[in-house]
């Protein structure tokens, strides 16, 4: 499985970042799973190394490239710093006003610079008449419909229901519900790539994955997890990875 640790802004100290990375490397040496960490951007070059068993990604990327864009961190800079992956459209970015147009631009910038986009999608709430499925489909359609066929195959989808983010294991989605949602995401992707390819597309789950919820969720057909708070502390991340089948 792909085990992606989104450190968000939990990690402020360089020493803490190094400790977490060292711990992730020990884990990577003892597990069949692929581990990638997403530190705050200034730590990327400190932690990334082509020889490392742990990949490094960025939490966001600018929608503009080279030029007069003060404060932006372009895909080219992230690539140079050593990032391999980049999150686009995380709900915490969407909550700050990021719309589909900008998420699409970010995805394009990432692809143009050889970064693998991890497109985060997910409904804000659940309702009994399944409008959350339309919300989810809309977020996927907005990006996939505009990508060239070969680029569609490069995007990893992270399904993160907003209502499940930042809580505890008990608040994560139920494994049976996740199984349905993963099938649904792959069904939507089937419109944009051959169905056989879509059936195996990389779909991650994120939202309160912790030691206590990881194992059950891992058996729902997902390709891996995007882990927030539990990845930002060595002991909780280790316990989570060790709980995986
Ligand atoms: P969480 O965050 O694991 O803290 O719920 C997941 C995410 O937002 O990527």
């Amino acid at each position: 499985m792909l085990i992606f640790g989104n450190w968000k802004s939990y990690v402020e100290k360089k020493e803490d970042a190094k400790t977490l990375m060292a711990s992730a490397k020990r884990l990577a040496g003892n597990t069949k799973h692929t581990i990638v960490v997403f530190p705050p951007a200034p730590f990327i070059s400190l932690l990334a190394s082509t020889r490392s068993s742990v990949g490094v990604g960025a939490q966001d990327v600018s929608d503009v490239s080279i030029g007069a864009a003060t404060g932006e961190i372009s895909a080219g800079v992230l690539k140079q710093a050593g990032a391999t992956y980049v999150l686009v459209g995380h709900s915490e970015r969407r909550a700050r006003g990021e719309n589909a147009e900008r998420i699409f631009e970010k995805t394009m910038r990432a692809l143009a610079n050889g970064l693998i986009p991890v497109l985060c999608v997910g409904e804000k709430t659940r309702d009994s008449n399944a409008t959350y499925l339309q919300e989810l489909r809309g977020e996927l359609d907005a990006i996939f419909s505009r990508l060239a066929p070969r680029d569609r195959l490069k995007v990893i989808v992270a399904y993160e229901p907003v209502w499940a983010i930042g809580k505890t294991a008990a608040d994560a989605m139920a494994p049976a519900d996740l199984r349905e949602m993963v099938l649904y995401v792959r069904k939507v992707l089937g419109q944009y790539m051959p169905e056989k390819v879509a059936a195996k597309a990389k779909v991650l789950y994120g939202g309160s994955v912790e030691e206590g919820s990881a194992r059950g969720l891992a058996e729902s057909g997902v390709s891996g997890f995007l882990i927030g708070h539990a990845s930002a502390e060595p002991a909780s991340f280790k316990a989570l990875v060790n709980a995986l089948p």
Side-chain angles (χ1 to χ4, degrees), residues 66-79:
I66 207 156
T70 303
E72 294 291 321
I73 303 179
S74 70
V77 168
L78 294 172
K79 181 77 180 172

Side-chain angles (χ1 to χ4, degrees), residues 6 8 10 87 90-92 120 160 164-167 206-209 226-231:
N6 174 12
K8 305 194 180 186
Y10 290 119
L87 306 183
H90 190 281
S91 61
E92 287 154 16
C120 304
E160 300 202 296
I165 291 179
K167 300 186 176 154
S208 300
V209 183
L226 181 55
I227 300 151
H229 62 275
S231 74

Side-chain angles (χ1 to χ4, degrees), residues 64-215:
V64 295
S65 78
I66 207 156
T70 303
E72 294 291 321
I73 303 179
S74 70
V77 168
L78 294 172
K79 181 77 180 172
Q80 287 286 307
T84 307
Y85 299 84
V86 62
L87 306 183
V88 287
H90 190 281
S91 61
E92 287 154 16
R93 305 288 331 154
R94 292 180 193 255
R96 293 177 159 266
E98 204 163 281
N99 59 18
E101 183 60 34
R102 289 185 65 199
I103 295 166
F104 173 70
E105 288 301 328
K106 289 177 177 210
T107 307
M108 292 302 286
R109 296 280 174 218
L111 289 166
N113 286 277
L115 296 167
I116 301 170
V118 182
L119 173 65
C120 304
V121 293
E123 76 277 6
K124 286 181 216 55
T125 51
R126 284 243 150 175
D127 54 0
S128 52
N129 45 9
T131 47
Y132 61 89
L133 292 178
Q134 283 159 35
E135 189 182 348
L136 179 58
R137 175 183 280 271
E139 289 180 351
L140 290 165
D141 285 343
I143 308 304
F144 277 90
S145 64
R146 296 176 68 187
L147 290 175
R150 65 190 165 86
D151 283 340
R152 293 171 179 164
L153 307 176
K154 297 176 187 159
V155 178
I156 296 176
V157 173
Y159 168 61
E160 300 202 296
V162 180
W163 52 265
I165 291 179
K167 300 186 176 154
T168 62
D171 304 296
M173 181 169 248
D177 293 341
L178 179 57
R179 177 175 291 280
E180 275 182 19
M181 295 311 290
V182 171
L183 286 173
Y184 183 73
V185 169
R186 290 190 174 130
K187 187 176 139 202
V188 174
L189 295 182
Q191 278 184 284
Y192 300 108
M193 56 188 77
E195 272 173 26
K196 272 191 185 157
V197 178
K200 291 189 184 142
K202 291 194 181 91
V203 180
L204 312 180
Y205 167 78
S208 300
V209 183
E210 291 183 344
E211 176 190 3
S213 50
R215 195 179 176 87

